[in-house]
Amino acid sequence: MKFGEKRGEVIRMDTYNMIDFNEKKGFICDMDGVIYHGNRVLPGVAEFIQWLHDENKEYLFLTNNSGYTPRELSQKLARMGLDVTEEHFYTSALATAAFLRDQAPGCSVFAIGEAGLLNALYDAGITMNDVNPDYVVVGEGAKLIGANSDVSGPIENGIVPACRALVAPIEMATGTQAYFCGKPNPLMMRTGLKMLHCHSAEAVMVGDRMDTDVISGMESGMSTVLVLSGVSTRETIKTYAYRPSMVLNGVGDIVSFARGEKTED
């Protein structure tokens, strides 16, 4: 079987690594392109979340979108008919605030971002300063911090620029290289695993991007699932030196495999 060849609804790899989803204790999932596009929930998501509940799996939605607070993300899913409480979310804004709190407690920042980023910074005891800040923080003189390194992200009708696209002009103008706190930064992944109380070998990373989700899960020692409902495609997979454990059409296929409705053949 050649790399990238498709059988049924699964793309088979050279050394295909079948995941026993029933044996895994924890699931870390991206959101944009995995759970929804903009305000439209994707097929199979409701069944996937119900399966997580029914099987008593630990799960966390880990998103590079810094614009929303966990409460807002919970409410966003509720509007789509999905019941997920706010403790199941961790964002790049929270990761950025935690990084700055650990590196420079009580520091000040000049922040460019939305409510999710600003609230996280305030909650971490970080103050705003537009005169002589210790850091410049960009979400969707000073040290430059980026909430995440995503160049683009999926919405209902296409792709929009994301954090890295906003940071790049600042890097070029100042000659300063940004430090990104979101995926694939291992600090964010380690925090996610701690929140799940799982060892990396017991967990699965589910995402739609090879350059953030899959590589962050792989480098953290987790099994990885790439879903084709977002940014990465069958063609772009071939351009990377690494590969996910499994490639599925969407998160609903995880439930089908767990129930034995789909097999490796």
Side-chain angles (χ1 to χ4, degrees), residues 17 22 34 42 103 109 118 122-123 125 139 142 167 218 236:
N17 296 315
N22 293 308
V34 177
L42 292 172
Q103 290 286 308
V109 303
L118 300 179
Y122 281 128
D123 288 345
V167 171
M218 181 192 70
T236 58

Side-chain angles (χ1 to χ4, degrees), residues 20-177:
D20 187 343
F21 294 113
N22 293 308
E23 290 296 318
K24 296 295 184 179
K25 296 181 179 179
F27 289 77
I28 297 180
C29 299
D30 184 35
M31 298 193 71
D32 296 290
V34 177
I35 302 302
Y36 52 65
H37 284 171
N39 292 306
R40 176 172 60 86
V41 68
L42 292 172
V45 168
E47 293 79 4
F48 174 61
I49 293 176
Q50 187 62 52
W51 177 80
L52 292 171
H53 283 284
D54 292 345
E55 299 299 322
N56 295 314
K57 302 294 186 183
E58 299 291 337
Y59 67 95
L60 183 68
F61 291 112
L62 198 74
T63 175
N64 266 355
N65 190 328
S66 63
Y68 297 106
T69 66
R71 178 172 297 180
E72 289 168 337
L73 289 170
S74 176
Q75 292 171 347
K76 179 182 175 78
L77 292 193
R79 290 191 292 270
M80 299 178 187
L82 304 171
D83 182 18
V84 181
T85 53
E86 59 187 276
E87 66 267 19
H88 291 287
F89 301 92
Y90 191 67
T91 71
S92 63
L94 294 172
T96 300
F99 170 78
L100 292 174
R101 182 187 60 224
D102 292 342
Q103 290 286 308
C107 67
S108 67
V109 303
F110 178 77
I112 304 170
E114 299 180 71
L117 179 61
L118 300 179
N119 285 348
L121 293 170
Y122 281 128
D123 288 345
I126 297 164
T127 57
M128 302 298 138
N129 180 349
D130 62 0
V131 179
N132 58 346
D134 299 304
Y135 296 88
V136 174
V137 180
V138 181
E140 309 269 274
K143 305 171 190 71
L144 183 60
I145 302 291
N148 67 77
S149 59
D150 290 0
V151 175
S152 62
I155 57 173
E156 292 100 325
N157 301 314
I159 299 291
V160 295
C163 183
R164 184 62 192 258
L166 305 177
V167 171
I170 301 174
E171 289 181 313
M172 294 177 65
T174 63
T176 301
Q177 185 174 358

